[in-house]
Amino acid sequence: MHESSSHHSLRNEEKRVLLGITGGIAAYKVAELAHTLSQSAVTVQTVMTRSACQFITPLTFQSLTGNPVHTELWESNASGSMTHINLSREVDVIMVAPASADFIAKLAHGIADDLLSTLCLARNCPLMIAPAMNRQMWENPATQRNLAMLRSDGIRIVGPANGIQACGEVGMGRMVEPTELAEAIITFWQNKHLLINKKIVITAGPTFEAIDPVRGLTNKSSGKMGYAIAQAAVEAGANVTLVSGPTDLTPPAVDKFVAVISANEMLTAVQYEIPSTDVFIGVAAVADYRVATMSAQKIKKTNHNLTLELTPNPDILMTIATASDPPFCVGFAAETENLLENAQAKRIKKRLPLMVANWAQNAIGSDDNELILLDDQGEHILPRAPKLEQARHLIQHISTFFKP
Ligand code: C5P
């Protein structure tokens, strides 16, 4: 009895990765990765495409990992179960290395015509890829388009590196070294617990303040940054509530999604959540004003000037941050001038332990962003990068405030 329970707790800590290998000369280096991971007590399952088997044999990986290597979608097995579903359910993360241009194209379009592409489509765990290809294949707009789709699907792209290529050309497209890939995979497990058991509430997007039944006041916020932070918080193991104004985005797999329209609705939704919340991140571009009285009927056109009387909206973040016993509050300041001075002044005024400053013209609607984190320790610059990457760094920074 005692033996089986200790075995059980060991299994709970077990780290399991699925290595997907596609056709590229860098496949030989992935043997080193399989070896490193196996030596670090990671259980490694391997799936190879047919082209991968042209570069290196399944036997190599079977020997290094101690597990059978899968290559066929239609392989029969003793239990009669479905390999593509089972394999992806039995691991914590999938790493495809090298990821060829062809495989990246398939991933981007949801094509499932062999075991590896099918299990990537059927997965319910995070996916990382390490692209490797000739520099011109890398630079080709088709490849870059596909990569942009993968990024926005939350797939992590590790590399590629710059340097000499197998074909003799020099440029971007080399697979990053196996040690770096191993590091990316190990970091994944570390980050997975960063905010475990913490409840995080995030506001995102614009608000829409109705003027009449068909018109309203809003702004150009896309919601991308807030949704990326929600995604990163989910990855860090937090319990996440995303309160969002109107956006065109598909929400990440959060625990609770609340769609709101106006600032007042957003405040009500946030206040409902706050008593049990550890971290509140106000990313939404909340309208500062709404019309004093909304017209019940569509306002008619005339030849005269029309004056709308505006009344201030509540400041959601300040309301939460200045109440008694607030959660850890994080604000976003989008400025068009004097970025740091303005952001710091808002941080003090709203009593925020952490303020994220960004240039409005860089941030709004774009996929990339540069962020400056302001806290009691000073400034931390996160250089320009895709919003999801920035979001992961921000979540990591927030987690440092919760270290015992
Ligand atoms: O004061 P300013 O609007 O520049 O501050 C930006 C920060 O305050 C953002 O984090 C935003 O979500 C929050 N905010 C808010 N309610 C408002 C205005 C801003 O929560 N009415």
Side-chain angles (χ1 to χ4, degrees), residues 203 263 266 280-289 313-319 330-335 342 346 349-350 352 355-356:
T203 63
M266 189 174 268
F280 173 53
I281 313 179
V283 196
V286 185
D288 291 326
Y289 297 93
N313 268 331
D315 189 309
I316 300 171
L317 187 58
M318 195 154 90
T319 307
V330 183
F332 265 71
E335 305 293 336
N342 287 338
K346 283 180 188 177
K349 179 172 173 223
K350 301 193 188 198
L352 306 175
M355 180 60 124
V356 183

PDB file of all heavy atoms in Angstrom, residues 203 263 266 280-289 313-319 330-335 342 346 349-350 352 355-356, ligand 1:
ATOM      1  N   THR A 203      -9.215  42.655 -17.446  1.00  0.00           N
ATOM      2  CA  THR A 203     -10.148  43.329 -18.353  1.00  0.00           C
ATOM      3  C   THR A 203      -9.431  43.558 -19.681  1.00  0.00           C
ATOM      4  O   THR A 203      -8.219  43.759 -19.708  1.00  0.00           O
ATOM      5  CB  THR A 203     -10.622  44.697 -17.817  1.00  0.00           C
ATOM      6  OG1 THR A 203      -9.479  45.560 -17.705  1.00  0.00           O
ATOM      7  CG2 THR A 203     -11.319  44.563 -16.485  1.00  0.00           C
ATOM      8  N   ALA A 263     -18.520  50.691 -19.722  1.00  0.00           N
ATOM      9  CA  ALA A 263     -17.624  50.770 -18.565  1.00  0.00           C
ATOM     10  C   ALA A 263     -18.366  50.376 -17.287  1.00  0.00           C
ATOM     11  O   ALA A 263     -17.827  49.670 -16.438  1.00  0.00           O
ATOM     12  CB  ALA A 263     -17.071  52.186 -18.441  1.00  0.00           C
ATOM     13  N   MET A 266     -18.662  46.765 -17.109  1.00  0.00           N
ATOM     14  CA  MET A 266     -17.353  46.170 -16.835  1.00  0.00           C
ATOM     15  C   MET A 266     -17.043  46.276 -15.340  1.00  0.00           C
ATOM     16  O   MET A 266     -16.600  45.314 -14.714  1.00  0.00           O
ATOM     17  CB  MET A 266     -16.281  46.862 -17.683  1.00  0.00           C
ATOM     18  CG  MET A 266     -14.924  46.182 -17.629  1.00  0.00           C
ATOM     19  SD  MET A 266     -13.750  46.923 -18.787  1.00  0.00           S
ATOM     20  CE  MET A 266     -13.963  45.923 -20.235  1.00  0.00           C
ATOM     21  N   PHE A 280      -5.456  41.558 -10.104  1.00  0.00           N
ATOM     22  CA  PHE A 280      -6.363  42.210 -11.057  1.00  0.00           C
ATOM     23  C   PHE A 280      -5.517  42.979 -12.069  1.00  0.00           C
ATOM     24  O   PHE A 280      -4.702  43.829 -11.690  1.00  0.00           O
ATOM     25  CB  PHE A 280      -7.323  43.163 -10.329  1.00  0.00           C
ATOM     26  CG  PHE A 280      -8.165  43.977 -11.282  1.00  0.00           C
ATOM     27  CD1 PHE A 280      -8.916  43.359 -12.274  1.00  0.00           C
ATOM     28  CD2 PHE A 280      -8.193  45.365 -11.205  1.00  0.00           C
ATOM     29  CE1 PHE A 280      -9.682  44.098 -13.177  1.00  0.00           C
ATOM     30  CE2 PHE A 280      -8.956  46.118 -12.099  1.00  0.00           C
ATOM     31  CZ  PHE A 280      -9.698  45.480 -13.080  1.00  0.00           C
ATOM     32  N   ILE A 281      -5.684  42.661 -13.338  1.00  0.00           N
ATOM     33  CA  ILE A 281      -4.916  43.342 -14.385  1.00  0.00           C
ATOM     34  C   ILE A 281      -5.897  44.103 -15.280  1.00  0.00           C
ATOM     35  O   ILE A 281      -6.705  43.499 -15.987  1.00  0.00           O
ATOM     36  CB  ILE A 281      -4.097  42.335 -15.237  1.00  0.00           C
ATOM     37  CG1 ILE A 281      -3.352  41.333 -14.336  1.00  0.00           C
ATOM     38  CG2 ILE A 281      -3.112  43.079 -16.138  1.00  0.00           C
ATOM     39  CD1 ILE A 281      -2.538  40.289 -15.091  1.00  0.00           C
ATOM     40  N   GLY A 282      -5.835  45.422 -15.223  1.00  0.00           N
ATOM     41  CA  GLY A 282      -6.743  46.249 -16.028  1.00  0.00           C
ATOM     42  C   GLY A 282      -6.075  46.602 -17.343  1.00  0.00           C
ATOM     43  O   GLY A 282      -5.262  47.523 -17.405  1.00  0.00           O
ATOM     44  N   VAL A 283      -6.394  45.842 -18.378  1.00  0.00           N
ATOM     45  CA  VAL A 283      -5.792  46.107 -19.681  1.00  0.00           C
ATOM     46  C   VAL A 283      -6.775  46.844 -20.585  1.00  0.00           C
ATOM     47  O   VAL A 283      -6.403  47.471 -21.564  1.00  0.00           O
ATOM     48  CB  VAL A 283      -5.340  44.788 -20.368  1.00  0.00           C
ATOM     49  CG1 VAL A 283      -4.389  45.080 -21.518  1.00  0.00           C
ATOM     50  CG2 VAL A 283      -4.690  43.847 -19.381  1.00  0.00           C
ATOM     51  N   ALA A 284      -8.056  46.778 -20.238  1.00  0.00           N
ATOM     52  CA  ALA A 284      -9.082  47.374 -21.098  1.00  0.00           C
ATOM     53  C   ALA A 284      -8.849  48.866 -21.288  1.00  0.00           C
ATOM     54  O   ALA A 284      -8.375  49.550 -20.375  1.00  0.00           O
ATOM     55  CB  ALA A 284     -10.458  47.142 -20.480  1.00  0.00           C
ATOM     56  N   ALA A 285      -9.172  49.342 -22.482  1.00  0.00           N
ATOM     57  CA  ALA A 285      -9.164  50.778 -22.757  1.00  0.00           C
ATOM     58  C   ALA A 285     -10.576  51.264 -22.435  1.00  0.00           C
ATOM     59  O   ALA A 285     -11.451  51.300 -23.309  1.00  0.00           O
ATOM     60  CB  ALA A 285      -8.795  51.033 -24.210  1.00  0.00           C
ATOM     61  N   VAL A 286     -10.778  51.572 -21.168  1.00  0.00           N
ATOM     62  CA  VAL A 286     -12.113  51.958 -20.700  1.00  0.00           C
ATOM     63  C   VAL A 286     -12.398  53.387 -21.144  1.00  0.00           C
ATOM     64  O   VAL A 286     -11.563  54.278 -20.951  1.00  0.00           O
ATOM     65  CB  VAL A 286     -12.188  51.877 -19.159  1.00  0.00           C
ATOM     66  CG1 VAL A 286     -13.596  52.166 -18.670  1.00  0.00           C
ATOM     67  CG2 VAL A 286     -11.713  50.511 -18.675  1.00  0.00           C
ATOM     68  N   ALA A 287     -13.574  53.611 -21.720  1.00  0.00           N
ATOM     69  CA  ALA A 287     -13.923  54.970 -22.139  1.00  0.00           C
ATOM     70  C   ALA A 287     -13.980  55.861 -20.904  1.00  0.00           C
ATOM     71  O   ALA A 287     -14.558  55.479 -19.884  1.00  0.00           O
ATOM     72  CB  ALA A 287     -15.270  54.967 -22.847  1.00  0.00           C
ATOM     73  N   ASP A 288     -13.369  57.039 -20.995  1.00  0.00           N
ATOM     74  CA  ASP A 288     -13.363  57.928 -19.841  1.00  0.00           C
ATOM     75  C   ASP A 288     -14.725  58.593 -19.631  1.00  0.00           C
ATOM     76  O   ASP A 288     -15.056  59.006 -18.531  1.00  0.00           O
ATOM     77  CB  ASP A 288     -12.275  58.998 -20.017  1.00  0.00           C
ATOM     78  CG  ASP A 288     -10.877  58.376 -19.916  1.00  0.00           C
ATOM     79  OD1 ASP A 288     -10.722  57.422 -19.131  1.00  0.00           O
ATOM     80  OD2 ASP A 288      -9.967  58.822 -20.635  1.00  0.00           O
ATOM     81  N   TYR A 289     -15.486  58.705 -20.724  1.00  0.00           N
ATOM     82  CA  TYR A 289     -16.791  59.377 -20.621  1.00  0.00           C
ATOM     83  C   TYR A 289     -17.887  58.559 -21.297  1.00  0.00           C
ATOM     84  O   TYR A 289     -17.619  57.791 -22.219  1.00  0.00           O
ATOM     85  CB  TYR A 289     -16.754  60.746 -21.330  1.00  0.00           C
ATOM     86  CG  TYR A 289     -15.786  61.715 -20.708  1.00  0.00           C
ATOM     87  CD1 TYR A 289     -14.470  61.810 -21.179  1.00  0.00           C
ATOM     88  CD2 TYR A 289     -16.189  62.537 -19.660  1.00  0.00           C
ATOM     89  CE1 TYR A 289     -13.577  62.702 -20.607  1.00  0.00           C
ATOM     90  CE2 TYR A 289     -15.292  63.429 -19.091  1.00  0.00           C
ATOM     91  CZ  TYR A 289     -14.002  63.509 -19.564  1.00  0.00           C
ATOM     92  OH  TYR A 289     -13.126  64.386 -18.991  1.00  0.00           O
ATOM     93  N   ASN A 313     -16.923  58.347 -16.657  1.00  0.00           N
ATOM     94  CA  ASN A 313     -17.132  56.957 -16.254  1.00  0.00           C
ATOM     95  C   ASN A 313     -16.350  56.688 -14.979  1.00  0.00           C
ATOM     96  O   ASN A 313     -15.380  57.395 -14.685  1.00  0.00           O
ATOM     97  CB  ASN A 313     -16.620  56.013 -17.353  1.00  0.00           C
ATOM     98  CG  ASN A 313     -17.705  55.640 -18.336  1.00  0.00           C
ATOM     99  OD1 ASN A 313     -18.881  55.608 -17.988  1.00  0.00           O
ATOM    100  ND2 ASN A 313     -17.307  55.362 -19.561  1.00  0.00           N
ATOM    101  N   PRO A 314     -16.724  55.652 -14.251  1.00  0.00           N
ATOM    102  CA  PRO A 314     -15.897  55.287 -13.096  1.00  0.00           C
ATOM    103  C   PRO A 314     -14.535  54.807 -13.586  1.00  0.00           C
ATOM    104  O   PRO A 314     -14.424  54.260 -14.683  1.00  0.00           O
ATOM    105  CB  PRO A 314     -16.673  54.125 -12.458  1.00  0.00           C
ATOM    106  CG  PRO A 314     -17.533  53.579 -13.554  1.00  0.00           C
ATOM    107  CD  PRO A 314     -17.861  54.745 -14.450  1.00  0.00           C
ATOM    108  N   ASP A 315     -13.491  55.032 -12.803  1.00  0.00           N
ATOM    109  CA  ASP A 315     -12.184  54.452 -13.106  1.00  0.00           C
ATOM    110  C   ASP A 315     -12.154  53.080 -12.415  1.00  0.00           C
ATOM    111  O   ASP A 315     -12.071  52.997 -11.186  1.00  0.00           O
ATOM    112  CB  ASP A 315     -11.050  55.355 -12.594  1.00  0.00           C
ATOM    113  CG  ASP A 315      -9.692  54.867 -13.090  1.00  0.00           C
ATOM    114  OD1 ASP A 315      -9.405  53.664 -12.923  1.00  0.00           O
ATOM    115  OD2 ASP A 315      -8.939  55.680 -13.654  1.00  0.00           O
ATOM    116  N   ILE A 316     -12.267  52.041 -13.233  1.00  0.00           N
ATOM    117  CA  ILE A 316     -12.425  50.683 -12.690  1.00  0.00           C
ATOM    118  C   ILE A 316     -11.204  50.302 -11.861  1.00  0.00           C
ATOM    119  O   ILE A 316     -11.307  49.855 -10.718  1.00  0.00           O
ATOM    120  CB  ILE A 316     -12.642  49.675 -13.836  1.00  0.00           C
ATOM    121  CG1 ILE A 316     -13.907  50.057 -14.606  1.00  0.00           C
ATOM    122  CG2 ILE A 316     -12.718  48.241 -13.305  1.00  0.00           C
ATOM    123  CD1 ILE A 316     -14.133  49.273 -15.885  1.00  0.00           C
ATOM    124  N   LEU A 317     -10.040  50.511 -12.452  1.00  0.00           N
ATOM    125  CA  LEU A 317      -8.800  50.103 -11.795  1.00  0.00           C
ATOM    126  C   LEU A 317      -8.606  50.842 -10.467  1.00  0.00           C
ATOM    127  O   LEU A 317      -8.275  50.242  -9.451  1.00  0.00           O
ATOM    128  CB  LEU A 317      -7.631  50.380 -12.749  1.00  0.00           C
ATOM    129  CG  LEU A 317      -6.272  49.874 -12.331  1.00  0.00           C
ATOM    130  CD1 LEU A 317      -6.269  48.375 -12.106  1.00  0.00           C
ATOM    131  CD2 LEU A 317      -5.240  50.234 -13.404  1.00  0.00           C
ATOM    132  N   MET A 318      -8.849  52.166 -10.504  1.00  0.00           N
ATOM    133  CA  MET A 318      -8.628  52.949  -9.290  1.00  0.00           C
ATOM    134  C   MET A 318      -9.651  52.558  -8.225  1.00  0.00           C
ATOM    135  O   MET A 318      -9.316  52.493  -7.032  1.00  0.00           O
ATOM    136  CB  MET A 318      -8.705  54.445  -9.599  1.00  0.00           C
ATOM    137  CG  MET A 318      -8.127  55.270  -8.491  1.00  0.00           C
ATOM    138  SD  MET A 318      -7.529  56.842  -9.075  1.00  0.00           S
ATOM    139  CE  MET A 318      -8.977  57.822  -8.876  1.00  0.00           C
ATOM    140  N   THR A 319     -10.866  52.284  -8.643  1.00  0.00           N
ATOM    141  CA  THR A 319     -11.904  51.861  -7.686  1.00  0.00           C
ATOM    142  C   THR A 319     -11.443  50.607  -6.950  1.00  0.00           C
ATOM    143  O   THR A 319     -11.567  50.508  -5.731  1.00  0.00           O
ATOM    144  CB  THR A 319     -13.228  51.565  -8.437  1.00  0.00           C
ATOM    145  OG1 THR A 319     -13.543  52.697  -9.236  1.00  0.00           O
ATOM    146  CG2 THR A 319     -14.362  51.277  -7.470  1.00  0.00           C
ATOM    147  N   VAL A 330      -2.574  45.627 -11.355  1.00  0.00           N
ATOM    148  CA  VAL A 330      -1.657  45.982 -12.438  1.00  0.00           C
ATOM    149  C   VAL A 330      -2.412  46.842 -13.443  1.00  0.00           C
ATOM    150  O   VAL A 330      -3.517  46.486 -13.869  1.00  0.00           O
ATOM    151  CB  VAL A 330      -1.136  44.712 -13.158  1.00  0.00           C
ATOM    152  CG1 VAL A 330      -0.123  45.080 -14.239  1.00  0.00           C
ATOM    153  CG2 VAL A 330      -0.541  43.723 -12.157  1.00  0.00           C
ATOM    154  N   GLY A 331      -1.827  47.979 -13.816  1.00  0.00           N
ATOM    155  CA  GLY A 331      -2.465  48.864 -14.790  1.00  0.00           C
ATOM    156  C   GLY A 331      -1.672  48.937 -16.077  1.00  0.00           C
ATOM    157  O   GLY A 331      -0.493  48.570 -16.119  1.00  0.00           O
ATOM    158  N   PHE A 332      -2.308  49.404 -17.124  1.00  0.00           N
ATOM    159  CA  PHE A 332      -1.653  49.658 -18.406  1.00  0.00           C
ATOM    160  C   PHE A 332      -1.809  51.130 -18.713  1.00  0.00           C
ATOM    161  O   PHE A 332      -2.908  51.663 -18.625  1.00  0.00           O
ATOM    162  CB  PHE A 332      -2.320  48.834 -19.520  1.00  0.00           C
ATOM    163  CG  PHE A 332      -1.618  47.533 -19.766  1.00  0.00           C
ATOM    164  CD1 PHE A 332      -1.688  46.515 -18.836  1.00  0.00           C
ATOM    165  CD2 PHE A 332      -0.867  47.336 -20.924  1.00  0.00           C
ATOM    166  CE1 PHE A 332      -1.031  45.317 -19.038  1.00  0.00           C
ATOM    167  CE2 PHE A 332      -0.197  46.145 -21.138  1.00  0.00           C
ATOM    168  CZ  PHE A 332      -0.279  45.130 -20.201  1.00  0.00           C
ATOM    169  N   ALA A 333      -0.709  51.779 -19.068  1.00  0.00           N
ATOM    170  CA  ALA A 333      -0.811  53.172 -19.471  1.00  0.00           C
ATOM    171  C   ALA A 333      -0.363  53.289 -20.916  1.00  0.00           C
ATOM    172  O   ALA A 333       0.790  53.010 -21.232  1.00  0.00           O
ATOM    173  CB  ALA A 333       0.059  54.036 -18.574  1.00  0.00           C
ATOM    174  N   ALA A 334      -1.283  53.630 -21.785  1.00  0.00           N
ATOM    175  CA  ALA A 334      -0.937  53.880 -23.188  1.00  0.00           C
ATOM    176  C   ALA A 334      -0.850  55.387 -23.347  1.00  0.00           C
ATOM    177  O   ALA A 334      -1.828  56.097 -23.116  1.00  0.00           O
ATOM    178  CB  ALA A 334      -2.003  53.301 -24.102  1.00  0.00           C
ATOM    179  N   GLU A 335       0.322  55.868 -23.706  1.00  0.00           N
ATOM    180  CA  GLU A 335       0.532  57.314 -23.777  1.00  0.00           C
ATOM    181  C   GLU A 335       1.022  57.708 -25.162  1.00  0.00           C
ATOM    182  O   GLU A 335       1.653  56.914 -25.860  1.00  0.00           O
ATOM    183  CB  GLU A 335       1.588  57.740 -22.742  1.00  0.00           C
ATOM    184  CG  GLU A 335       1.283  57.329 -21.317  1.00  0.00           C
ATOM    185  CD  GLU A 335       0.076  58.050 -20.735  1.00  0.00           C
ATOM    186  OE1 GLU A 335      -0.240  59.156 -21.215  1.00  0.00           O
ATOM    187  OE2 GLU A 335      -0.550  57.516 -19.803  1.00  0.00           O
ATOM    188  N   ASN A 342       4.129  60.155 -17.342  1.00  0.00           N
ATOM    189  CA  ASN A 342       2.678  59.991 -17.241  1.00  0.00           C
ATOM    190  C   ASN A 342       2.307  58.659 -16.598  1.00  0.00           C
ATOM    191  O   ASN A 342       1.402  58.582 -15.767  1.00  0.00           O
ATOM    192  CB  ASN A 342       2.031  60.077 -18.629  1.00  0.00           C
ATOM    193  CG  ASN A 342       2.021  61.506 -19.154  1.00  0.00           C
ATOM    194  OD1 ASN A 342       2.108  62.443 -18.364  1.00  0.00           O
ATOM    195  ND2 ASN A 342       1.919  61.665 -20.456  1.00  0.00           N
ATOM    196  N   LYS A 346       0.379  58.020 -12.998  1.00  0.00           N
ATOM    197  CA  LYS A 346      -0.847  57.215 -12.878  1.00  0.00           C
ATOM    198  C   LYS A 346      -0.671  56.077 -11.887  1.00  0.00           C
ATOM    199  O   LYS A 346      -1.604  55.704 -11.171  1.00  0.00           O
ATOM    200  CB  LYS A 346      -1.225  56.621 -14.246  1.00  0.00           C
ATOM    201  CG  LYS A 346      -1.862  57.627 -15.168  1.00  0.00           C
ATOM    202  CD  LYS A 346      -2.223  57.017 -16.501  1.00  0.00           C
ATOM    203  CE  LYS A 346      -2.665  58.123 -17.456  1.00  0.00           C
ATOM    204  NZ  LYS A 346      -2.957  57.605 -18.793  1.00  0.00           N
ATOM    205  N   LYS A 349      -1.052  57.694  -8.522  1.00  0.00           N
ATOM    206  CA  LYS A 349      -2.424  58.151  -8.292  1.00  0.00           C
ATOM    207  C   LYS A 349      -3.366  56.976  -8.038  1.00  0.00           C
ATOM    208  O   LYS A 349      -4.220  57.018  -7.163  1.00  0.00           O
ATOM    209  CB  LYS A 349      -2.888  58.947  -9.513  1.00  0.00           C
ATOM    210  CG  LYS A 349      -4.302  59.449  -9.398  1.00  0.00           C
ATOM    211  CD  LYS A 349      -4.678  60.407 -10.530  1.00  0.00           C
ATOM    212  CE  LYS A 349      -6.147  60.734 -10.438  1.00  0.00           C
ATOM    213  NZ  LYS A 349      -6.810  60.715 -11.732  1.00  0.00           N
ATOM    214  N   LYS A 350      -3.189  55.910  -8.847  1.00  0.00           N
ATOM    215  CA  LYS A 350      -4.109  54.766  -8.728  1.00  0.00           C
ATOM    216  C   LYS A 350      -3.639  53.743  -7.691  1.00  0.00           C
ATOM    217  O   LYS A 350      -4.266  52.710  -7.516  1.00  0.00           O
ATOM    218  CB  LYS A 350      -4.297  54.108 -10.103  1.00  0.00           C
ATOM    219  CG  LYS A 350      -4.858  55.055 -11.158  1.00  0.00           C
ATOM    220  CD  LYS A 350      -5.339  54.365 -12.417  1.00  0.00           C
ATOM    221  CE  LYS A 350      -5.680  55.423 -13.471  1.00  0.00           C
ATOM    222  NZ  LYS A 350      -6.534  54.924 -14.551  1.00  0.00           N
ATOM    223  N   LEU A 352      -0.940  51.664  -7.618  1.00  0.00           N
ATOM    224  CA  LEU A 352      -0.693  50.358  -8.223  1.00  0.00           C
ATOM    225  C   LEU A 352       0.720  49.887  -7.905  1.00  0.00           C
ATOM    226  O   LEU A 352       1.675  50.636  -8.126  1.00  0.00           O
ATOM    227  CB  LEU A 352      -0.827  50.450  -9.753  1.00  0.00           C
ATOM    228  CG  LEU A 352      -2.124  51.042 -10.280  1.00  0.00           C
ATOM    229  CD1 LEU A 352      -2.056  51.179 -11.798  1.00  0.00           C
ATOM    230  CD2 LEU A 352      -3.298  50.168  -9.879  1.00  0.00           C
ATOM    231  N   MET A 355       2.795  49.082 -12.868  1.00  0.00           N
ATOM    232  CA  MET A 355       2.176  49.758 -14.016  1.00  0.00           C
ATOM    233  C   MET A 355       2.951  49.357 -15.265  1.00  0.00           C
ATOM    234  O   MET A 355       4.179  49.295 -15.253  1.00  0.00           O
ATOM    235  CB  MET A 355       2.246  51.274 -13.806  1.00  0.00           C
ATOM    236  CG  MET A 355       1.642  52.104 -14.918  1.00  0.00           C
ATOM    237  SD  MET A 355      -0.108  51.725 -15.159  1.00  0.00           S
ATOM    238  CE  MET A 355      -0.859  53.308 -14.979  1.00  0.00           C
ATOM    239  N   VAL A 356       2.228  49.077 -16.337  1.00  0.00           N
ATOM    240  CA  VAL A 356       2.863  48.717 -17.600  1.00  0.00           C
ATOM    241  C   VAL A 356       2.697  49.891 -18.550  1.00  0.00           C
ATOM    242  O   VAL A 356       1.571  50.281 -18.863  1.00  0.00           O
ATOM    243  CB  VAL A 356       2.217  47.455 -18.203  1.00  0.00           C
ATOM    244  CG1 VAL A 356       2.941  47.047 -19.476  1.00  0.00           C
ATOM    245  CG2 VAL A 356       2.203  46.322 -17.186  1.00  0.00           C
TER     246      VAL A 356
HETATM  247  O1  C5P B   1      -5.933  56.774 -16.688  1.00  0.00           O
HETATM  248  P1  C5P B   1      -5.717  55.884 -17.847  1.00  0.00           P
HETATM  249  O2  C5P B   1      -6.978  55.587 -18.594  1.00  0.00           O
HETATM  250  O3  C5P B   1      -4.632  56.228 -18.779  1.00  0.00           O
HETATM  251  O4  C5P B   1      -5.207  54.538 -17.121  1.00  0.00           O
HETATM  252  C1  C5P B   1      -5.096  53.378 -17.796  1.00  0.00           C
HETATM  253  C2  C5P B   1      -5.351  52.232 -16.855  1.00  0.00           C
HETATM  254  O5  C5P B   1      -6.503  52.448 -16.065  1.00  0.00           O
HETATM  255  C3  C5P B   1      -5.617  50.968 -17.623  1.00  0.00           C
HETATM  256  O6  C5P B   1      -5.090  49.906 -16.880  1.00  0.00           O
HETATM  257  C4  C5P B   1      -7.132  50.920 -17.691  1.00  0.00           C
HETATM  258  O7  C5P B   1      -7.614  49.613 -17.824  1.00  0.00           O
HETATM  259  C5  C5P B   1      -7.544  51.553 -16.380  1.00  0.00           C
HETATM  260  N1  C5P B   1      -8.804  52.314 -16.457  1.00  0.00           N
HETATM  261  C6  C5P B   1      -9.923  51.838 -15.819  1.00  0.00           C
HETATM  262  N2  C5P B   1     -11.093  52.557 -15.865  1.00  0.00           N
HETATM  263  C7  C5P B   1     -11.146  53.737 -16.523  1.00  0.00           C
HETATM  264  C8  C5P B   1     -10.010  54.230 -17.181  1.00  0.00           C
HETATM  265  C9  C5P B   1      -8.848  53.477 -17.123  1.00  0.00           C
HETATM  266  O8  C5P B   1      -9.887  50.765 -15.227  1.00  0.00           O
HETATM  267  N3  C5P B   1     -12.292  54.404 -16.545  1.00  0.00           N
END
